[in-house]
Amino acid sequence: MTLVFTGICSHGPGITGRADLAPPELRDPFFAAYHAMRDALHAARPDAVVIVAAEHFANFFMNNMPSFAIGMADGYEGPIEDPEWLRIPHRRVRGDAALSQAIIAEVQQSVDIAYAEEWKFDHGIMVPLSFLDPDNKLTVIPANINCQGPPLAPLHRAWAFGEALRRAADAVPQRIALIATGGISHWPATPDSGRINEEWDREFLRRWAAGDKAALLDYTDAGTYAEAGQGGFEIRTLIAAAAAARGPGTVHFFSSIPIFSTGCFVATAEIA
């Protein structure tokens, strides 16, 4: 039928695992923005939600690292991490293998992708789901962009992936939502963990909200690594969302929250 909703959000494990340690004046507005996006997402009445995330070596590793992958199962499980550490209970998430197959077939018309009938969700998907689907009612189709193991797909390929997902959403009879989740500046699992480049983050979100394709694709991996850390490579997921929506975006929340080890944001885009 059509794409009915597009949003982007942070997914750092500290968001749930260290929620009690965050300053309430920052944490509470962030969580409120997440909950407002939850309400808007459910109000769009999607039949399925494509979650474009950056998988963290939970399912794909250097012996087989696809640039792009989509899940094709009737169910998924997560979190793969310790639920007590992440503070998210283990759950089985409903999928739709037939719908996934239809989306994959359409995406393959322009983008080479892998597909997986087995997929364990890590924090990249489970943190957003804990806010956006606390009652475990949504049908989810996971999509992954390799943002961890270089060589990484060029940014214009992430844009093309988003365009292909939009075309696929418009081609199937179901109502499709798309949530992209990743980090902007962050340095996970390094001595710089907790560092956040707020100026870089705000400029990226400005370009994203403007839907400025040329400006979004102007980043280089070398520049991103220097200014935003290896976690900044996850802008690929957010760029894919901009390509899918085609319309301008609104940043509902952004703040530097060091205990969460990432710039924290919630934004939505108009479907053009």
Side-chain angles (χ1 to χ4, degrees), residues 152-178:
L152 307 177
L155 297 186
H156 70 267
R157 298 299 295 158
W159 185 277
F161 184 52
E163 289 181 323
L165 287 171
R166 171 61 182 274
R167 191 180 65 248
D170 290 348
V172 297
Q174 292 88 344
R175 298 170 61 87
I176 304 296
L178 186 148

mmCIF file of all heavy atoms in Angstrom, residues 152-178:
data_model
loop_
_atom_site.group_PDB
_atom_site.id
_atom_site.type_symbol
_atom_site.label_atom_id
_atom_site.label_comp_id
_atom_site.label_asym_id
_atom_site.label_seq_id
_atom_site.Cartn_x
_atom_site.Cartn_y
_atom_site.Cartn_z
ATOM 1 N N LEU A 152 33.036 -0.663 4.574
ATOM 2 C CA LEU A 152 31.605 -0.378 4.706
ATOM 3 C C LEU A 152 31.046 0.101 3.370
ATOM 4 O O LEU A 152 31.746 0.727 2.580
ATOM 5 C CB LEU A 152 31.389 0.707 5.757
ATOM 6 C CG LEU A 152 32.023 0.452 7.132
ATOM 7 C CD1 LEU A 152 31.785 1.650 8.037
ATOM 8 C CD2 LEU A 152 31.481 -0.816 7.763
ATOM 9 N N ALA A 153 29.789 -0.202 3.143
ATOM 10 C CA ALA A 153 29.142 0.286 1.921
ATOM 11 C C ALA A 153 29.183 1.811 1.891
ATOM 12 O O ALA A 153 28.956 2.463 2.921
ATOM 13 C CB ALA A 153 27.700 -0.200 1.853
ATOM 14 N N PRO A 154 29.467 2.422 0.742
ATOM 15 C CA PRO A 154 29.464 3.888 0.650
ATOM 16 C C PRO A 154 28.093 4.461 1.017
ATOM 17 O O PRO A 154 27.070 3.786 0.905
ATOM 18 C CB PRO A 154 29.803 4.147 -0.822
ATOM 19 C CG PRO A 154 30.457 2.906 -1.305
ATOM 20 C CD PRO A 154 29.836 1.784 -0.531
ATOM 21 N N LEU A 155 28.099 5.701 1.450
ATOM 22 C CA LEU A 155 26.851 6.314 1.903
ATOM 23 C C LEU A 155 25.798 6.363 0.802
ATOM 24 O O LEU A 155 24.600 6.255 1.081
ATOM 25 C CB LEU A 155 27.122 7.720 2.441
ATOM 26 C CG LEU A 155 28.022 7.817 3.676
ATOM 27 C CD1 LEU A 155 28.082 9.255 4.163
ATOM 28 C CD2 LEU A 155 27.554 6.891 4.785
ATOM 29 N N HIS A 156 26.221 6.519 -0.450
ATOM 30 C CA HIS A 156 25.210 6.582 -1.507
ATOM 31 C C HIS A 156 24.517 5.238 -1.687
ATOM 32 O O HIS A 156 23.380 5.181 -2.161
ATOM 33 C CB HIS A 156 25.825 7.064 -2.835
ATOM 34 C CG HIS A 156 26.741 6.090 -3.491
ATOM 35 N ND1 HIS A 156 28.107 6.088 -3.281
ATOM 36 C CD2 HIS A 156 26.502 5.085 -4.371
ATOM 37 C CE1 HIS A 156 28.666 5.129 -4.001
ATOM 38 N NE2 HIS A 156 27.714 4.504 -4.671
ATOM 39 N N ARG A 157 25.161 4.136 -1.247
ATOM 40 C CA ARG A 157 24.504 2.840 -1.293
ATOM 41 C C ARG A 157 23.489 2.718 -0.158
ATOM 42 O O ARG A 157 22.448 2.084 -0.318
ATOM 43 C CB ARG A 157 25.542 1.720 -1.209
ATOM 44 C CG ARG A 157 26.526 1.705 -2.361
ATOM 45 C CD ARG A 157 25.814 1.502 -3.697
ATOM 46 N NE ARG A 157 25.186 0.185 -3.758
ATOM 47 C CZ ARG A 157 24.177 -0.123 -4.576
ATOM 48 N NH1 ARG A 157 23.672 0.796 -5.378
ATOM 49 N NH2 ARG A 157 23.673 -1.333 -4.580
ATOM 50 N N ALA A 158 23.776 3.319 0.994
ATOM 51 C CA ALA A 158 22.788 3.357 2.069
ATOM 52 C C ALA A 158 21.562 4.149 1.628
ATOM 53 O O ALA A 158 20.422 3.778 1.933
ATOM 54 C CB ALA A 158 23.404 3.970 3.326
ATOM 55 N N TRP A 159 21.793 5.237 0.907
ATOM 56 C CA TRP A 159 20.670 6.008 0.363
ATOM 57 C C TRP A 159 19.869 5.153 -0.616
ATOM 58 O O TRP A 159 18.630 5.130 -0.569
ATOM 59 C CB TRP A 159 21.191 7.269 -0.323
ATOM 60 C CG TRP A 159 20.101 8.185 -0.807
ATOM 61 C CD1 TRP A 159 19.415 8.086 -1.980
ATOM 62 C CD2 TRP A 159 19.547 9.311 -0.105
ATOM 63 N NE1 TRP A 159 18.473 9.086 -2.070
ATOM 64 C CE2 TRP A 159 18.525 9.851 -0.936
ATOM 65 C CE3 TRP A 159 19.818 9.913 1.114
ATOM 66 C CZ2 TRP A 159 17.784 10.966 -0.554
ATOM 67 C CZ3 TRP A 159 19.080 11.023 1.488
ATOM 68 C CH2 TRP A 159 18.079 11.541 0.656
ATOM 69 N N ALA A 160 20.558 4.428 -1.479
ATOM 70 C CA ALA A 160 19.870 3.574 -2.445
ATOM 71 C C ALA A 160 19.075 2.477 -1.742
ATOM 72 O O ALA A 160 17.982 2.096 -2.195
ATOM 73 C CB ALA A 160 20.881 2.954 -3.410
ATOM 74 N N PHE A 161 19.599 1.969 -0.628
ATOM 75 C CA PHE A 161 18.871 0.958 0.146
ATOM 76 C C PHE A 161 17.578 1.542 0.696
ATOM 77 O O PHE A 161 16.520 0.905 0.650
ATOM 78 C CB PHE A 161 19.766 0.441 1.270
ATOM 79 C CG PHE A 161 19.172 -0.671 2.086
ATOM 80 C CD1 PHE A 161 18.654 -1.810 1.482
ATOM 81 C CD2 PHE A 161 19.141 -0.592 3.472
ATOM 82 C CE1 PHE A 161 18.127 -2.853 2.239
ATOM 83 C CE2 PHE A 161 18.610 -1.620 4.238
ATOM 84 C CZ PHE A 161 18.106 -2.754 3.620
ATOM 85 N N GLY A 162 17.643 2.770 1.204
ATOM 86 C CA GLY A 162 16.433 3.430 1.686
ATOM 87 C C GLY A 162 15.415 3.644 0.587
ATOM 88 O O GLY A 162 14.212 3.442 0.778
ATOM 89 N N GLU A 163 15.897 4.047 -0.586
ATOM 90 C CA GLU A 163 14.987 4.208 -1.723
ATOM 91 C C GLU A 163 14.333 2.885 -2.092
ATOM 92 O O GLU A 163 13.129 2.836 -2.417
ATOM 93 C CB GLU A 163 15.750 4.762 -2.926
ATOM 94 C CG GLU A 163 16.178 6.215 -2.777
ATOM 95 C CD GLU A 163 16.915 6.720 -4.000
ATOM 96 O OE1 GLU A 163 17.699 5.941 -4.603
ATOM 97 O OE2 GLU A 163 16.712 7.893 -4.374
ATOM 98 N N ALA A 164 15.102 1.806 -2.047
ATOM 99 C CA ALA A 164 14.561 0.492 -2.384
ATOM 100 C C ALA A 164 13.533 0.042 -1.355
ATOM 101 O O ALA A 164 12.495 -0.562 -1.708
ATOM 102 C CB ALA A 164 15.696 -0.528 -2.495
ATOM 103 N N LEU A 165 13.782 0.328 -0.087
ATOM 104 C CA LEU A 165 12.795 -0.007 0.945
ATOM 105 C C LEU A 165 11.505 0.778 0.751
ATOM 106 O O LEU A 165 10.405 0.247 0.938
ATOM 107 C CB LEU A 165 13.374 0.265 2.335
ATOM 108 C CG LEU A 165 14.440 -0.722 2.827
ATOM 109 C CD1 LEU A 165 15.085 -0.204 4.112
ATOM 110 C CD2 LEU A 165 13.826 -2.105 3.059
ATOM 111 N N ARG A 166 11.623 2.041 0.342
ATOM 112 C CA ARG A 166 10.421 2.842 0.072
ATOM 113 C C ARG A 166 9.645 2.250 -1.096
ATOM 114 O O ARG A 166 8.409 2.126 -1.048
ATOM 115 C CB ARG A 166 10.813 4.289 -0.216
ATOM 116 C CG ARG A 166 9.664 5.170 -0.726
ATOM 117 C CD ARG A 166 8.520 5.271 0.291
ATOM 118 N NE ARG A 166 7.409 6.061 -0.193
ATOM 119 C CZ ARG A 166 7.327 7.396 -0.095
ATOM 120 N NH1 ARG A 166 8.304 8.096 0.442
ATOM 121 N NH2 ARG A 166 6.274 8.031 -0.542
ATOM 122 N N ARG A 167 10.348 1.889 -2.140
ATOM 123 C CA ARG A 167 9.679 1.299 -3.302
ATOM 124 C C ARG A 167 8.979 -0.004 -2.918
ATOM 125 O O ARG A 167 7.848 -0.267 -3.339
ATOM 126 C CB ARG A 167 10.715 1.049 -4.395
ATOM 127 C CG ARG A 167 10.103 0.693 -5.749
ATOM 128 C CD ARG A 167 11.166 0.451 -6.800
ATOM 129 N NE ARG A 167 11.989 -0.721 -6.485
ATOM 130 C CZ ARG A 167 13.274 -0.659 -6.156
ATOM 131 N NH1 ARG A 167 13.910 0.505 -6.089
ATOM 132 N NH2 ARG A 167 13.951 -1.764 -5.878
ATOM 133 N N ALA A 168 9.633 -0.786 -2.087
ATOM 134 C CA ALA A 168 9.036 -2.044 -1.652
ATOM 135 C C ALA A 168 7.810 -1.798 -0.780
ATOM 136 O O ALA A 168 6.794 -2.493 -0.905
ATOM 137 C CB ALA A 168 10.076 -2.872 -0.892
ATOM 138 N N ALA A 169 7.891 -0.817 0.118
ATOM 139 C CA ALA A 169 6.749 -0.498 0.973
ATOM 140 C C ALA A 169 5.552 -0.057 0.154
ATOM 141 O O ALA A 169 4.399 -0.395 0.457
ATOM 142 C CB ALA A 169 7.141 0.583 1.981
ATOM 143 N N ASP A 170 5.815 0.688 -0.897
ATOM 144 C CA ASP A 170 4.729 1.175 -1.741
ATOM 145 C C ASP A 170 4.174 0.080 -2.647
ATOM 146 O O ASP A 170 3.071 0.230 -3.202
ATOM 147 C CB ASP A 170 5.217 2.346 -2.592
ATOM 148 C CG ASP A 170 5.473 3.608 -1.775
ATOM 149 O OD1 ASP A 170 5.060 3.643 -0.596
ATOM 150 O OD2 ASP A 170 6.107 4.542 -2.298
ATOM 151 N N ALA A 171 4.922 -1.029 -2.800
ATOM 152 C CA ALA A 171 4.507 -2.079 -3.723
ATOM 153 C C ALA A 171 3.657 -3.158 -3.057
ATOM 154 O O ALA A 171 2.884 -3.844 -3.739
ATOM 155 C CB ALA A 171 5.733 -2.730 -4.371
ATOM 156 N N VAL A 172 3.775 -3.337 -1.739
ATOM 157 C CA VAL A 172 3.024 -4.395 -1.062
ATOM 158 C C VAL A 172 1.677 -3.848 -0.585
ATOM 159 O O VAL A 172 1.513 -2.633 -0.422
ATOM 160 C CB VAL A 172 3.824 -4.958 0.132
ATOM 161 C CG1 VAL A 172 5.123 -5.598 -0.355
ATOM 162 C CG2 VAL A 172 4.105 -3.886 1.175
ATOM 163 N N PRO A 173 0.692 -4.718 -0.358
ATOM 164 C CA PRO A 173 -0.635 -4.232 0.045
ATOM 165 C C PRO A 173 -0.711 -3.786 1.499
ATOM 166 O O PRO A 173 -1.663 -3.114 1.899
ATOM 167 C CB PRO A 173 -1.544 -5.451 -0.207
ATOM 168 C CG PRO A 173 -0.634 -6.631 -0.139
ATOM 169 C CD PRO A 173 0.689 -6.160 -0.674
ATOM 170 N N GLN A 174 0.269 -4.145 2.319
ATOM 171 C CA GLN A 174 0.250 -3.810 3.736
ATOM 172 C C GLN A 174 0.724 -2.373 3.988
ATOM 173 O O GLN A 174 1.432 -1.785 3.177
ATOM 174 C CB GLN A 174 1.139 -4.779 4.530
ATOM 175 C CG GLN A 174 0.629 -6.200 4.588
ATOM 176 C CD GLN A 174 1.095 -7.057 3.422
ATOM 177 O OE1 GLN A 174 1.566 -6.541 2.405
ATOM 178 N NE2 GLN A 174 0.972 -8.369 3.557
ATOM 179 N N ARG A 175 0.318 -1.848 5.131
ATOM 180 C CA ARG A 175 0.780 -0.548 5.606
ATOM 181 C C ARG A 175 2.117 -0.753 6.314
ATOM 182 O O ARG A 175 2.207 -1.548 7.256
ATOM 183 C CB ARG A 175 -0.237 0.090 6.563
ATOM 184 C CG ARG A 175 -1.579 0.374 5.916
ATOM 185 C CD ARG A 175 -2.638 0.784 6.961
ATOM 186 N NE ARG A 175 -2.273 1.987 7.675
ATOM 187 C CZ ARG A 175 -2.548 3.227 7.265
ATOM 188 N NH1 ARG A 175 -3.187 3.402 6.104
ATOM 189 N NH2 ARG A 175 -2.205 4.275 7.981
ATOM 190 N N ILE A 176 3.157 -0.054 5.860
ATOM 191 C CA ILE A 176 4.509 -0.277 6.352
ATOM 192 C C ILE A 176 5.035 0.979 7.056
ATOM 193 O O ILE A 176 4.918 2.089 6.535
ATOM 194 C CB ILE A 176 5.468 -0.646 5.202
ATOM 195 C CG1 ILE A 176 4.944 -1.868 4.430
ATOM 196 C CG2 ILE A 176 6.874 -0.894 5.742
ATOM 197 C CD1 ILE A 176 4.863 -3.139 5.242
ATOM 198 N N ALA A 177 5.598 0.788 8.237
ATOM 199 C CA ALA A 177 6.337 1.845 8.924
ATOM 200 C C ALA A 177 7.825 1.516 8.862
ATOM 201 O O ALA A 177 8.202 0.349 8.697
ATOM 202 C CB ALA A 177 5.885 1.960 10.376
ATOM 203 N N LEU A 178 8.646 2.535 8.981
ATOM 204 C CA LEU A 178 10.098 2.329 8.976
ATOM 205 C C LEU A 178 10.714 3.127 10.117
ATOM 206 O O LEU A 178 10.472 4.332 10.240
ATOM 207 C CB LEU A 178 10.694 2.759 7.633
ATOM 208 C CG LEU A 178 12.190 2.473 7.430
ATOM 209 C CD1 LEU A 178 12.483 2.186 5.956
ATOM 210 C CD2 LEU A 178 13.058 3.648 7.902
#
